[in-house]
Amino acid sequence: QVQLVESGGGLVQTGDSLRLSCTASGRIFNRYVMGWFRQAPGKEREFVSGISRSGGTTDYTDSVKGRFTISRDNAKNTVSLQMNNLKPDDTAVYYCVAIEAHSDYVIFRSRSRYDYWGQGTQVTVSS
């Protein structure tokens, strides 16, 4: 059982930056693939970014490449998403996700792969 708690969402203007953070419970954080999904009203929940267990591999959906950066601090059981140059299309509820993995290099994009989900944090970007 893993509990994930997101923070850092808010209301910003186009071009602004936000940093989302997620804190995980448990004692095996370094076994988890971590990531972020988002869901805008009326749209499917979509993969945003993922990071491998050690942090050595990252993955991003095309729409955020070059603008978002995912990182993790295994000593603090946290994963972060630095979001720069935000756009109105980034408006969504952002969810932190986790799954225990058995490789240092894997990242998953499928919703069905993740066992643990945070409650979500709202990001709103005004034009």
Side-chain angles (χ1 to χ4, degrees), residues 18-36:
L18 280 174
R19 186 176 180 87
L20 306 183
S21 295
C22 172
T23 300
S25 67
R27 290 187 260 262
I28 56 169
F29 184 73
N30 63 356
R31 298 186 192 175
Y32 302 149
V33 173
M34 303 295 298
W36 295 89

Side-chain angles (χ1 to χ4, degrees), residues 55-107:
T57 305
T58 58
D59 190 25
Y60 303 90
T61 193
D62 286 346
S63 63
V64 308
K65 286 180 179 177
R67 299 189 297 121
F68 291 10
T69 302
I70 190 170
S71 61
R72 66 191 295 163
D73 186 342
N74 287 353
K76 297 183 181 295
N77 280 25
T78 59
V79 61
S80 298
L81 186 69
Q82 178 67 43
M83 305 185 294
N84 296 330
N85 192 24
L86 284 161
K87 303 176 180 182
D89 283 349
D90 296 318
T91 295
V93 176
Y94 284 71
Y95 298 91
C96 179
V97 298
I99 178 63
E100 185 177 357
H102 305 285
S103 169
D104 283 337
Y105 307 105
V106 297
I107 299 173

